[in-house]
Amino acid sequence: MRTAEPVGDDDGRRATTAAWAEVSPEAARRLLVAAVEAFAERGYHATTTRDIAGRAGMSPAALYIHYKTKEELLHRISRIGHDRALAVLRKAEAGGGTSAQRLADVVRSFVRWHAEQHTTARVVQYELDALGPEHRPEILELRRQSDAVVRRILEDGVRDGEFDVPDVGGTTLAVLSLCVDVARWFDEAGRRSPDEVGDLYADLVLRMVGARA
Amino acid sequence: MRTAEPVGDDDGRRATTAAWAEVSPEAARRLLVAAVEAFAERGYHATTTRDIAGRAGMSPAALYIHYKTKEELLHRISRIGHDRALAVLRKAEAGGGTSAQRLADVVRSFVRWHAEQHTTARVVQYELDALGPEHRPEILELRRQSDAVVRRILEDGVRDGEFDVPDVGGTTLAVLSLCVDVARWFDEAGRRSPDEVGDLYADLVLRMVGARA
């Protein structure tokens, strides 16, 4: 159980803004944060570039200096979100240790990311179909690379006799699905912190792969 | 692996239509199916009652005979969807057998429902926030009852020494989350049939609860 007070909207917004620190200039970053919030609240198709500019306290003309279309905003969000998620997975994988330790680290980090960045993660996961045909293959390739991290660890564990996994492809899918769905149900005001969910899920996944204790 | 050809859009529409057979008259049913499709494709907020009437081949005036507002359509979809999901869980629970058998049956049935009815399930799961304040408590109560089915079986299994579950609440959440997320990624044209995903997930969940083989 978390000991701090529930995190309010302001903290949520600070977390979202901090996550986009790499985007510059500042006006482009503000527009991106406004787009994430608008897409998460009303959906991509119900949001106009005028809505996004208004949320960012800017004019539609100012928006067009940075983003030519609404789809360009979604693509930037999706690209950065997928890059981050993949970086989180690869960092955990590179941490070393046994296959069980690496798998637990990967699940813990990936869950924490989907809990802390749940607003961004929802947009990234639920608006994939709205990406244009010129952007979709690039994003799908990043998703394949994320899948590959989990699959590699499962294969290593099976080869070394650490894991018992009859269906590596299906189990990879289930592990990633469990982590991704955290973005749907996670609530800052809820009973579990991102770290607590990460620890719980790491234990459940080690059980799924029949890790030797 | 499935042996049949990938199921196309027509089959998907037939499955959706069959699922709403209880709705009458036929015009009200056609409107509901059209609303499910429109909400799934474009999101609740981007869909107008005019869009829905048009998809059903009817006039906006004809729509208002059956549904006063767009929210009423969403509420009907959500209510029927949640009633169905709960009925699926309760039927599997009532099937008897050991706790492990009941848990496996519940997971298999719930996964199959989310795979076969993935369009409806996506609307039901992702548009919860769009329900009006007068409808939300009723839907949340149905969700609590679904949670309770899984929780009861886990508690039974722990009491009888069949399962080893340190955190029953968290594990209940994870089991349901794993099943629900099938609606996000399931694809009729994909490699696994609803039954195959159900069997895989039943095995993974039995591992999560440390079921004695």
Side-chain angles (χ1 to χ4, degrees):
Chain A
M1 301 306 102
R2 53 170 47 207
T3 49
E5 289 299 302
V7 177
D9 280 353
D10 282 359
D11 288 311
R13 184 163 209 174
R14 266 198 294 281
T16 307
T17 306
W20 304 104
E22 71 188 70
V23 180
S24 69
E26 195 259 342
R29 180 163 65 248
R30 248 162 62 209
L31 286 162
L32 219 60
V33 171
V36 169
E37 292 176 349
F39 294 159
E41 260 178 51
R42 308 257 312 159
Y44 176 80
H45 295 291
T47 301
T48 63
T49 49
R50 181 174 288 273
D51 296 334
I52 297 167
R55 264 180 193 261
M58 291 164 64
S59 69
L63 183 147
Y64 289 114
I65 296 171
H66 302 284
Y67 304 100
K68 279 190 211 67
T69 62
K70 184 171 72 160
E71 197 271 342
E72 191 182 331
L73 276 154
L74 179 64
H75 173 241
R76 279 302 301 276
I77 293 165
S78 189
R79 174 73 212 223
I80 296 177
H82 279 91
D83 279 343
R84 282 296 173 80
L86 181 56
V88 159
L89 286 171
R90 286 200 169 141
K91 190 178 164 203
E93 182 188 23
T98 63
S99 297
Q101 283 164 341
R102 276 178 294 137
L103 184 59
D105 284 348
V106 156
V107 168
R108 238 181 250 117
S109 313
F110 207 47
V111 163
R112 208 184 302 129
W113 190 83
H114 280 89
E116 287 172 352
Q117 303 298 328
H118 61 91
T119 309
T120 301
R122 282 180 205 172
V123 172
V124 162
Q125 298 293 344
Y126 302 156
E127 301 289 7
L128 275 180
D129 288 346
L131 286 171
E134 74 282 22
H135 290 139
R136 203 168 304 146
E138 171 199 303
I139 299 298
L140 292 181
E141 176 53 29
L142 290 171
R143 294 173 77 84
R144 268 190 292 274
Q145 291 176 29
S146 290
D147 291 4
V149 171
V150 173
R151 181 187 276 269
R152 264 197 304 274
I153 301 176
L154 295 193
E155 283 168 350
D156 286 352
V158 168
R159 197 179 44 242
D160 302 346
E162 262 191 84
F163 297 163
D164 162 36
V165 181
D167 178 348
V168 169
T171 306
T172 298
L173 177 66
V175 169
L176 288 161
S177 169
L178 194 62
C179 298
V180 164
D181 195 51
V182 170
R184 179 182 57 84
W185 62 260
F186 186 79
D187 175 3
E188 282 100 351
R191 290 169 50 214
R192 294 166 199 272
S193 71
D195 282 337
E196 286 164 350
V197 181
D199 288 341
L200 169 67
Y201 275 35
D203 174 59
L204 291 173
V205 166
L206 289 181
R207 287 163 169 247
M208 279 165 61
V209 301
R212 303 261 164 78
Chain B
M1 300 306 99
R2 53 169 49 206
T3 49
E5 290 299 300
V7 177
D9 281 351
D10 282 356
D11 288 310
R13 184 165 209 173
R14 264 199 295 280
T16 306
T17 306
W20 303 104
E22 71 188 71
V23 180
S24 70
E26 196 259 341
R29 179 163 63 247
R30 248 163 62 210
L31 286 162
L32 219 59
V33 172
V36 168
E37 291 176 350
F39 294 158
E41 258 180 53
R42 308 258 311 160
Y44 176 79
H45 294 291
T47 301
T48 62
T49 48
R50 179 173 290 274
D51 295 335
I52 296 167
R55 264 180 194 261
M58 292 164 66
S59 69
L63 182 147
Y64 289 115
I65 296 172
H66 302 285
Y67 304 100
K68 280 189 210 69
T69 63
K70 184 171 72 161
E71 197 273 341
E72 190 181 332
L73 277 154
L74 179 63
H75 173 241
R76 280 301 302 273
I77 293 165
S78 189
R79 173 73 211 223
I80 297 176
H82 279 91
D83 278 344
R84 282 295 172 81
L86 180 56
V88 159
L89 287 172
R90 287 203 169 139
K91 189 178 165 204
E93 184 189 21
T98 63
S99 297
Q101 284 164 341
R102 277 177 295 140
L103 184 59
D105 284 347
V106 157
V107 168
R108 239 181 249 115
S109 313
F110 208 47
V111 163
R112 208 183 303 127
W113 190 82
H114 280 89
E116 287 171 353
Q117 302 299 329
H118 61 90
T119 310
T120 301
R122 281 180 206 172
V123 172
V124 163
Q125 297 293 344
Y126 302 156
E127 301 289 9
L128 275 181
D129 288 346
L131 286 172
E134 74 284 20
H135 290 140
R136 202 168 307 143
E138 170 199 304
I139 299 298
L140 292 181
E141 176 54 29
L142 290 171
R143 295 173 77 85
R144 268 190 292 273
Q145 291 176 30
S146 290
D147 292 4
V149 171
V150 173
R151 181 187 278 268
R152 262 196 305 274
I153 301 176
L154 295 194
E155 284 168 350
D156 286 353
V158 169
R159 198 181 40 241
D160 301 346
E162 261 191 85
F163 297 163
D164 162 36
V165 181
D167 179 348
V168 169
T171 306
T172 299
L173 177 66
V175 169
L176 288 162
S177 169
L178 194 63
C179 297
V180 164
D181 196 51
V182 169
R184 179 182 58 83
W185 62 260
F186 186 79
D187 177 2
E188 279 102 353
R191 290 169 51 215
R192 294 166 199 272
S193 71
D195 282 338
E196 286 164 351
V197 181
D199 287 342
L200 169 67
Y201 274 36
D203 175 59
L204 291 173
V205 166
L206 289 181
R207 288 161 168 247
M208 279 166 62
V209 302
R212 304 260 164 80

